[in-house]
């Protein structure tokens, strides 16, 4: 039952209860220790008083004889004390006892014999408090006596009671004050959290532009609010990119579909208007274009989802030489003299896609020649692909890595470009911990440089 209550209790309740409980235990133990120390100190003082009195009586007996009793001598065999003669004992009572235990001298003759055990606390007839007993032996002319002194513990009891009273009242009041203060402080501290909770409760998928309030205090809750706002900003950017991506993908897929449909409608409406096989060629060409587009979309989707990649040693120079041989078949001049050894660690299929996309992009925009280089640099390997085309304006060098971006719309479409090749390069390089940049090539066109961590640095 207690566990259920504790789990269902609010943070304020749990914090207040824990604080009060811990402080209550500490105060209780501290109060008990204080009372014990005070009582022990007072008792030591009483015992010191008794020791001093015993010593004085022993010295008096050994050097001057037995002291005089308080009012009359008892224990001579003539008179016995009656119960009716009992009187209230003084705060300090002393007795001199013979070897047989009889009272020889006493500060109050009507009191019965005191115990001889040193350090005992005893009750005396008609006494309101216990007495601390101290005893010591004395020798008078060969006769041995026991000198016993009993000192009242009344002052000890009264002082202890006077201390317990304020503690019994003050400690609960202190705990009450602590509980109230803790409750108020925690309530004020959690107020921004409640405001954040109410705001987050109203944020939906179509209201990601809203932000939680950030409290002015530079504390943990302020940092929490900042982190949540940053998260909401990322979610909003992701949703915007996703919506744009879906819109762009729909637009790109609609183009080949429209082309196929248009060709098919002409062939059906005007039989014989198209040369034999042209419909099939159009369907195959546009189908291949759709297939490439879908494959690139799937590749980008896996990159966005952070799909795990196979990690292995990859010779980047081998991939570059393979792509160079492929492009040479198209009639372009490919300079591979700057390709040197370069080994990285990553997904070979994905890195091969990076090299192919860069080479295809260079071949698409080159006039007559491209150049490929692979070289080791500080802590990594650099892949450079250049062309002798018109290049990329400096203002557009970041845009080319965005999805569905074409700087030359008509030429890119005619060449089969989808506007996703360089975006795929950027995504794959980023997942491998590398960077990609665009500059002006000495050949006159664009120069794409990819830097990846070396295999030994992985």
């Amino acid at each position: 039952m207690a566990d259920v209550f504790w789990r269902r209790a609010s943070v304020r309740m749990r914090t207040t209860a824990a604080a009060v409980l811990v402080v209550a235990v500490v105060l209780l133990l501290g109060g008990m220790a204080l009372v014990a120390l005070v009582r022990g100190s007072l008792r030591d003082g009483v015992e010191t008083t008794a020791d001093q009195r015993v010593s004085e009586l022993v010295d008096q007996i050994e050097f001057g004889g037995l002291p005089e009793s308080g009012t009359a001598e008892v224990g001579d065999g003539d008179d016995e004390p009656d119960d009716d003669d009992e009187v209230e004992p003084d705060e300090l009572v002393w007795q001199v006892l013979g070897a047989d235990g009889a009272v020889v001298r006493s500060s109050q003759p009507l009191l019965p014999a005191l115990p001889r055990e040193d350090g005992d606390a005893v009750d005396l007839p008609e006494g309101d408090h216990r007495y601390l007993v101290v005893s010591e032996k004395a020798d008078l002319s060969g006769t041995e006596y026991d000198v016993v002194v009993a000192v009242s513990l009344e002052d000890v009891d009264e002082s202890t009671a006077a201390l317990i009273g304020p503690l019994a009242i003050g400690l609960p009041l202190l705990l009450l004050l602590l509980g109230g203060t803790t409750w108020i402080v925690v309530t004020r501290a959690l107020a921004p959290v409640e405001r954040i909770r109410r705001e987050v409760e109203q944020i939906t998928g179509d209201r990601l532009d809203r932000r939680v309030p950030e409290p002015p205090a530079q504390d943990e809750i302020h940092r929490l609010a900042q982190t949540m706002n940053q998260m909401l900003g990322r979610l909003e950017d992701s949703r915007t990119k996703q919506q744009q991506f879906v819109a762009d993908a729909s637009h790109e897929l609609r183009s080949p579909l429209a082309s196929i449909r248009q060709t098919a409608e002409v062939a059906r409406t005007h039989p014989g208007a198209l040369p034999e096989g042209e419909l099939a060629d159009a369907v195959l060409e546009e189908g291949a274009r759709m297939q490439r587009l879908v494959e690139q979309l799937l590749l980008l989707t896996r990159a966005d989802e952070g799909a795990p990649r196979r990690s292995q040693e990859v010779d980047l120079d081998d991939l570059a030489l393979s792509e160079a041989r492929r492009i040479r078949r198209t009639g372009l001049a490919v300079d591979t003299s700057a390709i040197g050894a370069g080994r990285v660690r990553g997904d070979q299929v994905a890195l091969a896609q990076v090299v192919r996309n860069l080479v295809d992009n260079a071949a698409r925009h080159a006039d007559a020649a491209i150049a490929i280089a692979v070289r080791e640099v500080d802590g990594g390997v650099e892949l450079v692909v250049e062309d002798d085309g018109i290049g990329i304006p400096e203002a557009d060098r970041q845009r080319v890595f965005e999805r569905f971006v074409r700087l030359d719309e008509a030429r890119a479409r005619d060449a089969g470009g989808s506007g996703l090749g360089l975006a795929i390069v950027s995504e794959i390089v980023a997942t491998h911990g590398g960077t990609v940049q665009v500059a002006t090539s000495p050949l006159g066109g664009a120069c794409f440089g990819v830097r990846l961590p070396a295999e030994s640095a992985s």
Side-chain angles (χ1 to χ4, degrees), residues 226-243:
Q226 282 186 325
T227 302
M228 293 192 67
N229 284 333
Q230 293 170 2
M231 178 193 68
L232 290 172
R234 292 193 297 269
L235 290 176
E236 184 181 13
D237 292 342
S238 177
R239 186 196 63 177
T240 303
K241 291 180 180 178
Q242 183 180 23
Q243 291 175 341

Side-chain angles (χ1 to χ4, degrees), residues 112-162:
L114 298 172
R116 304 185 191 188
E117 289 78 7
D118 194 12
D120 284 353
V122 299
D123 293 318
L124 299 182
E126 300 299 325
D128 295 332
H129 299 271
R130 295 174 67 81
Y131 282 72
L132 179 66
V133 175
V134 175
S135 63
E136 189 175 339
K137 293 186 178 298
D139 184 88
L140 178 61
S141 302
T143 303
E144 192 173 83
Y145 297 94
D146 287 317
V147 180
V148 182
V149 173
V151 181
S152 174
L153 295 174
E154 179 179 3
D155 291 341
V156 177
D157 295 338
E158 290 179 352
S159 298
T160 303

Side-chain angles (χ1 to χ4, degrees), residues 60-335:
Q60 180 180 351
I61 291 173
E62 291 181 347
F63 296 102
L66 294 174
E68 295 294 330
S69 295
T71 56
E73 294 186 1
V74 295
D76 55 2
D78 296 334
D79 299 313
E80 294 294 334
D82 296 330
D83 292 341
D84 295 338
D85 296 331
E86 290 180 350
V87 295
E88 182 178 351
D90 297 330
E91 291 187 2
L92 188 148
V93 178
W94 58 264
Q95 290 180 348
V96 179
L97 306 179
D100 57 356
V103 178
V104 178
R105 295 286 190 276
S106 176
S107 61
Q108 289 185 271
L110 297 181
L111 291 177
L114 298 172
R116 304 185 191 188
E117 289 78 7
D118 194 12
D120 284 353
V122 299
D123 293 318
L124 299 182
E126 300 299 325
D128 295 332
H129 299 271
R130 295 174 67 81
Y131 282 72
L132 179 66
V133 175
V134 175
S135 63
E136 189 175 339
K137 293 186 178 298
D139 184 88
L140 178 61
S141 302
T143 303
E144 192 173 83
Y145 297 94
D146 287 317
V147 180
V148 182
V149 173
V151 181
S152 174
L153 295 174
E154 179 179 3
D155 291 341
V156 177
D157 295 338
E158 290 179 352
S159 298
T160 303
L163 180 61
I164 292 176
L167 289 176
I169 298 174
L171 294 185
L173 291 177
L174 181 60
L175 291 176
L176 183 61
L177 177 61
L178 173 67
T181 303
T182 304
W183 181 274
I184 294 173
V185 170
V186 174
T187 299
R188 291 174 62 93
L190 293 179
V193 177
E194 179 61 22
R195 290 194 293 270
I196 292 173
R197 186 199 65 79
R198 288 197 299 267
E199 183 65 28
V200 171
E201 193 175 27
Q202 299 176 16
I203 296 176
T204 58
D206 57 347
R207 295 298 307 275
L208 291 177
D209 58 319
R210 302 185 64 162
R211 296 295 182 266
V212 300
E214 297 182 6
Q218 303 296 315
D219 55 8
E220 293 82 356
I221 298 178
H222 177 84
R223 293 195 294 272
L224 172 64
Q226 282 186 325
T227 302
M228 293 192 67
N229 284 333
Q230 293 170 2
M231 178 193 68
L232 290 172
R234 292 193 297 269
L235 290 176
E236 184 181 13
D237 292 342
S238 177
R239 186 196 63 177
T240 303
K241 291 180 180 178
Q242 183 180 23
Q243 291 175 341
Q244 184 64 40
F245 180 76
V246 171
D248 292 339
S250 301
H251 176 75
E252 293 294 330
L253 289 172
R254 186 172 59 181
S255 179
L257 287 174
S259 179
I260 293 173
R261 181 175 179 177
Q262 181 180 10
T263 305
E265 287 178 348
V266 170
R268 186 179 65 176
T269 305
H270 305 284
L274 295 177
E276 184 179 355
E278 184 172 340
L279 175 60
D281 292 341
V283 171
L284 288 175
E285 180 182 352
E286 296 299 333
R289 180 179 171 186
M290 289 179 61
Q291 181 181 359
R292 289 193 300 270
L293 179 60
V294 170
E295 289 175 349
Q296 290 175 334
L297 290 174
L298 290 175
L299 183 59
L300 280 174
T301 301
R302 287 195 294 268
D304 289 340
E305 293 175 351
R309 54 186 176 87
R310 296 179 296 275
S311 181
Q312 62 187 94
E313 295 180 0
V314 179
D315 290 319
L316 206 59
D317 52 315
D318 292 345
L319 299 179
L321 290 172
S322 176
E323 289 301 318
R325 288 192 296 269
R326 180 179 65 86
I327 290 299
R328 281 197 181 100
R329 301 190 192 104
T330 65
L332 281 175
V334 182
D335 181 6

